Amino acid sequence: MSFIPSLRIARRLIGHRQSFRLASSSAATVTDDTTTTTAPGDLVRWDLDTSSNIGTITLSSPLTFNALTVEMGQEFSQVCRTLERELTTGGVECHAIVLSGEGDKAFSAGGNFDWLRSLRNNSVHQNADLMLQFYHSFLCIRKVPVPVIAALQGPAIGAGAGLALACDMRTAADKPKILGFTFATLGIHSGMGGSHLLNKSLGGPAAIMNEILFTGKVLSGKECYDLKLVNRLSDDAKADAYTLADQIAKQHPVAVRTMLKTVRSQQDVGLEAALQREALSQAVCYNRVDWGEGVDAVAEKREPNFDGYHSH
């Protein structure tokens, strides 16, 4: 899918609804209408409820369980860059954002399998560059200057789990499978900042972190709540996310934004170094002869048959 260079953002105002398009290099233009927030086929949607000053970013690819792709990353980073600018200059008044996946089946199933398989055709250094760019296209969510809450109504797996942990807070549905860093099962090093963000979310190095990463364990909503990886647990994670966002939106916006900067500055120490390490490590794994076996095994619902460590 081609990259869409601008975004249409809907404002719901008392008595009527407005939508306006934010271009990457121009000011917003406002038109009164009742059109949808994005053009058909968009992979990322943005909505703003001006009565509550709560925004919503939606990963919109339900047929792929909201898998993260290069194309989605381009749109996602455009949304984040636009919000970073508009929330800083005053073009948009928004105090909290909910990030969710389209539908209830998945927050995000992680990286697209076809794309991952194709990386075996690239050199190690090329894949290292590609992966770092891919991470940044989604982790730019941390540059949006208001709190972001990930609503995990369905599973967040692999890179999707990394994106969820990049958010400032999380709510989860009480389901048996909600959060999983299944990279080892696929045959690659963890990515999307998972090795760093999981550490920070757990409050530091822990044996359970090693188990999650080394076994590809997928945590239930209850396990996530017990480990303090999520803030709320219920049958409706999205409703919980909006309730939490509403509580934040009612606080002093300057106090919240400045505290957010303080907290993120502490959490982000070492993040970029971790991303570079992950990108290179994943690139090494893509260069293996047996790369793709884990992906095929997951798709075929069977146990993988990996080569030994000293194989090429």
Side-chain angles (χ1 to χ4, degrees):
M1 181 176 295
S2 61
F3 173 52
I4 299 174
S6 61
L7 308 166
R8 189 180 299 147
I9 298 181
R11 276 185 171 174
R12 300 170 197 148
L13 302 176
I14 297 175
H16 70 286
R17 182 178 178 183
Q18 288 187 326
S19 71
F20 64 100
R21 182 178 297 274
L22 292 178
S24 59
S25 59
S26 63
T29 57
V30 182
T31 58
D32 291 335
D33 59 37
T34 57
T35 58
T36 57
T37 57
T38 51
D42 282 356
L43 298 171
V44 180
R45 293 204 317 273
W46 161 254
D47 292 276
L48 176 65
D49 184 345
T50 57
S51 65
S52 64
N53 292 321
I54 296 173
T56 303
I57 299 175
T58 305
L59 306 177
S60 185
S61 182
L63 294 180
T64 66
F65 300 100
N66 305 312
L68 306 184
T69 63
V70 172
E71 294 80 9
M72 181 184 283
Q74 290 174 330
E75 293 188 24
F76 191 86
S77 62
Q78 173 71 0
V79 170
C80 291
R81 287 195 303 269
T82 302
L83 286 174
E84 182 183 9
R85 182 184 68 247
E86 296 297 321
L87 288 171
T88 301
T89 62
V92 172
E93 188 71 24
C94 175
H95 298 167
I97 292 173
V98 173
L99 173 63
S100 65
E102 183 79 24
D104 293 338
K105 292 184 177 180
F107 174 79
S108 174
N112 178 272
F113 277 5
D114 289 338
W115 178 60
L116 290 174
R117 289 188 185 96
S118 73
L119 296 176
R120 69 186 309 156
N121 301 318
N122 301 334
S123 64
V124 171
H125 64 271
Q126 183 181 8
N127 277 333
D129 291 342
L130 287 173
M131 296 317 299
L132 190 60
Q133 184 179 44
F134 183 62
Y135 304 159
H136 284 154
S137 70
F138 288 99
L139 297 183
C140 58
I141 191 69
R142 295 190 64 77
K143 294 184 179 180
V144 175
V146 298
V148 181
I149 305 164
L152 308 183
Q153 187 61 31
I157 304 297
L163 176 58
L165 292 190
C167 296
D168 304 292
M169 287 159 281
R170 287 158 293 282
T171 60
D174 191 5
K175 294 180 178 179
K177 293 185 178 182
I178 283 294
L179 191 74
F181 291 85
T182 55
F183 296 97
T185 304
L186 297 179
I188 50 175
H189 190 286
S190 60
M192 197 58 75
S195 59
H196 177 91
L197 296 167
L198 184 58
N199 183 327
K200 293 294 184 180
S201 297
L202 289 170
I208 188 61
M209 171 182 165
N210 295 341
E211 179 179 347
I212 292 169
L213 292 178
F214 298 163
T215 68
K217 176 181 176 67
V218 178
L219 301 172
S220 67
K222 179 64 163 53
E223 288 174 313
C224 290
Y225 185 73
D226 290 343
L227 289 170
K228 297 180 172 58
L229 291 172
V230 300
N231 301 78
R232 303 283 189 275
L233 178 69
S234 72
D235 292 333
D236 195 336
K238 293 183 180 181
D240 277 353
Y242 285 110
T243 298
L244 186 55
D246 187 57
Q247 293 171 349
I248 294 169
K250 291 176 180 177
Q251 310 308 310
H252 196 290
V254 176
V256 171
R257 285 204 196 190
T258 52
M259 283 191 288
L260 182 66
K261 287 182 179 180
T262 298
V263 171
R264 284 183 182 171
S265 67
Q266 297 168 352
Q267 296 168 340
D268 288 348
V269 173
L271 175 57
E272 185 59 31
L275 295 179
Q276 293 184 26
R277 168 67 182 172
E278 288 182 344
L280 179 58
S281 298
Q282 284 196 330
V284 169
C285 294
Y286 296 140
N287 199 47
R288 293 260 306 183
V289 171
D290 66 351
W291 168 240
E293 167 60 18
V295 175
D296 291 342
V298 170
E300 297 166 9
K301 298 181 179 181
R302 60 174 174 80
E303 291 294 320
N305 183 23
F306 294 129
D307 294 341
Y309 177 83
H310 295 287
S311 300
H312 295 294

